Amino acid sequence: GAVVSQHPSRVICKSGTSVKIECRSLDFQATTMFWYRQFPKQSLMLMATSNEGSKATYEQGVEKDKFLINHASLTLSTLTVTSAHPEDSSFYICSASSQGGTEAFFGQGTRLTVV
Amino acid sequence: AQSVTQLGSHVSVSEGALVLLRCNYSSSVPPYLFWYVQYPNQGLQLLLKYTSAATLVKGINGFEAEFKKSETSFHLTKPSAHMSDAAEYFCAVSDSSYKLIFGSGTRLLVRP
């Protein structure tokens, strides 16, 4: 199957700073990427959908100014958590799909801890 | 709107016993259905998917699921549980846009 690489796998940052998470499709062109958040012992909640070259579509209740998503190329999308607070601590997972494909492929996830 | 319900947040079975994880879906369009497995602090691994072909879908690691439209179900089964099957399992539904709606997850515990 196709490979999606997410980096970093773990990050600890101070409250008030910003953190960038990268999601790369290694062997296919990802026309669409999705960002999910997973709180401990809970399911994955879709945060936003991004299409290459256009603005991301955010789900209801997700602050677009706090979670900045950039999908500047067909192989890379980034999620920047701005002015992070402890309540932003979570597991963030990206997935990517290609035009005409039948499934989305997931990255390994990023464990963000804000202290 | 699409939604997924997974009955049972925890399922415990003995090693060698049948595994049955339940999933019911709601969708206004013909759905794509998926089962994923997640190990601690890791991403999701696709076990199997239903995309309107055969209703009985075989996946990796001996898992399979049957799509039953009349029951709006897509239950996951495995004839004989292994210790390595202990993990969190998520059922998900999608339209053709690959935007996945996940169930709440079921933690599978396998007793020796």
Side-chain angles (χ1 to χ4, degrees):
Chain A
V3 179
V4 174
S5 177
Q6 196 172 333
H7 178 80
S9 58
R10 291 177 176 271
V11 59
I12 300 173
C13 71
K14 291 184 177 181
S15 186
T17 62
S18 295
V19 174
K20 180 182 287 187
I21 303 170
E22 293 186 348
C23 180
R24 295 181 182 272
S25 57
L26 298 185
D27 51 4
F28 68 101
Q29 292 187 328
T31 52
T32 305
M33 287 188 171
F34 304 88
W35 288 95
Y36 296 84
R37 180 169 52 187
Q38 185 181 30
F39 290 107
K41 300 184 179 181
Q42 294 188 29
S43 187
L44 287 79
M45 299 300 295
L46 180 66
M47 299 174 67
T49 303
S50 71
N51 292 294
E52 185 267 336
S54 61
K55 290 185 178 180
T57 301
Y58 290 82
E59 296 298 303
Q60 191 173 6
V62 178
E63 299 176 61
K64 63 179 182 180
D65 294 331
K66 180 170 187 60
F67 299 99
L68 301 178
I69 293 173
N70 184 281
H71 192 168
S73 78
L74 285 172
T75 59
L76 174 64
S77 176
T78 60
L79 167 67
T80 301
V81 182
T82 63
S83 187
H85 292 285
E87 56 265 31
D88 298 324
S89 298
S90 188
F91 195 56
Y92 293 86
I93 306 176
C94 71
S95 70
S97 64
S98 60
Q99 188 76 24
T102 59
E103 68 176 278
F105 300 93
F106 283 82
Q108 311 95 312
T110 297
R111 171 73 60 193
L112 170 63
T113 303
V114 184
V115 298
Chain B
Q2 296 177 310
S3 65
V4 174
T5 301
Q6 289 184 242
L7 294 176
S9 59
H10 292 79
V11 170
S12 180
V13 301
S14 298
E15 190 174 19
L18 172 70
V19 176
L20 171 61
L21 304 183
R22 299 179 185 276
C23 173
N24 289 87
Y25 70 91
S26 172
S27 178
S28 58
V29 299
Y32 292 88
L33 293 161
F34 304 81
W35 274 100
Y36 287 90
V37 61
Q38 183 181 36
Y39 295 96
N41 291 312
Q42 294 188 28
L44 300 180
Q45 181 181 13
L46 180 67
L47 284 176
L48 49 82
K49 62 182 179 182
Y50 167 76
T51 56
S52 74
T55 56
L56 181 62
V57 182
K58 294 186 182 299
I60 63 171
N61 300 340
F63 285 95
E64 64 180 38
E66 186 172 7
F67 172 70
K68 292 186 176 181
K69 184 177 180 180
S70 61
E71 300 177 7
T72 61
S73 68
F74 191 58
H75 302 329
L76 181 71
T77 60
K78 181 174 180 177
S80 177
H82 293 170
M83 296 298 292
S84 60
D85 294 327
E88 188 86 19
Y89 291 80
F90 292 97
C91 180
V93 65
S94 173
D95 55 21
S96 59
S97 67
Y98 323 118
K99 175 180 171 180
L100 292 167
I101 306 299
F102 285 89
S104 54
T106 298
R107 180 166 298 277
L108 176 65
L109 307 171
V110 182
R111 304 185 301 271

